[in-house]
Amino acid sequence: NDAWAAAMAGLMPLTEYLDLTARFRAERDRNVWSAILGSFAAVNRVITPAERPGLERLVRDRLTPAVTALGWTPRAGEDELTRQLRGDLLRALATLGNDPATQANAAELYAAHETRKAEVDANVLPALIAILAFVGDEARYREFLERFRRATTPQEEQRYLYALAGFRQPELLGQTLERTLSRKYLPPCTLRG
């Protein structure tokens, strides 16, 4: 946190901070990773499109060892923070790292979830939905919009609502923006209260 604050204040070169993150490849503390992932997301928001492939490579380099060690499914005796960390890292690797293998695995696991819900950990499911939105097309957008509308729990509703903002195609983002400005698109449970 201190190094990132120093980089943000201009007291430390950003490249020096990014080099420092290489020391945390084996880290398993969710709090540490939250700070690192937050800094990567902040950099992602301000870089130019030409610089994005470099950031994607850096994210893949930093996260792949931890994701490989944690895997996609919980192990016996694993604590809740480790389960949450798994979801955080998978989401970041597939989106900020734009990792095709992670994106493909997410699609396969989500499809398995649709037929056998017990196969996906509750901490990984939101990451899968976010990843599929990130790489999603119009058909996936329609699917997630329908899941948002027909959600049976507030958690499910929120997952799919936030996913709609994660699609990258301008026309799909335009649809989401239009929906945010009109009450006619809101599901009945959102209008209550």
Side-chain angles (χ1 to χ4, degrees), residues 14-40:
L14 180 60
T15 53
E16 190 175 320
Y17 169 78
L18 293 174
D19 289 344
L20 176 66
T21 64
R23 296 175 184 230
F24 295 92
R25 289 183 184 106
E27 182 61 54
R28 296 300 177 268
D29 186 317
R30 185 174 187 233
N31 296 312
V32 173
W33 274 113
S34 291
I36 294 170
L37 297 178
S39 68
F40 290 165

Side-chain angles (χ1 to χ4, degrees), residues 33 37 40-41 55-72 85-106 127 130-131 134-135:
W33 274 113
L37 297 178
F40 290 165
L55 178 62
E56 291 170 354
R57 282 190 302 278
L58 182 130
V59 168
R60 289 191 302 267
D61 175 73
R62 302 309 192 257
L63 273 62
T64 297
V67 167
T68 300
L70 289 173
W72 287 77
L85 175 61
R86 177 180 291 106
D88 295 344
L89 293 176
L90 288 170
R91 177 185 293 120
L93 183 58
T95 59
L96 294 173
N98 200 18
D99 184 59
T102 305
Q103 294 164 354
N105 287 342
I131 292 165
F134 180 78
V135 297

Side-chain angles (χ1 to χ4, degrees), residues 166-183:
F167 286 82
R168 295 183 296 161
Q169 295 86 346
E171 61 278 1
L172 299 178
L173 287 174
Q175 289 179 38
T176 300
L177 180 58
E178 183 180 337
R179 285 180 171 84
T180 65
L181 301 175
S182 174
R183 290 179 59 89

Side-chain angles (χ1 to χ4, degrees), residues 180-193:
T180 65
L181 301 175
S182 174
R183 290 179 59 89
K184 74 179 185 177
Y185 293 111
L186 296 175
C189 61
T190 305
L191 294 174
R192 284 180 271 171

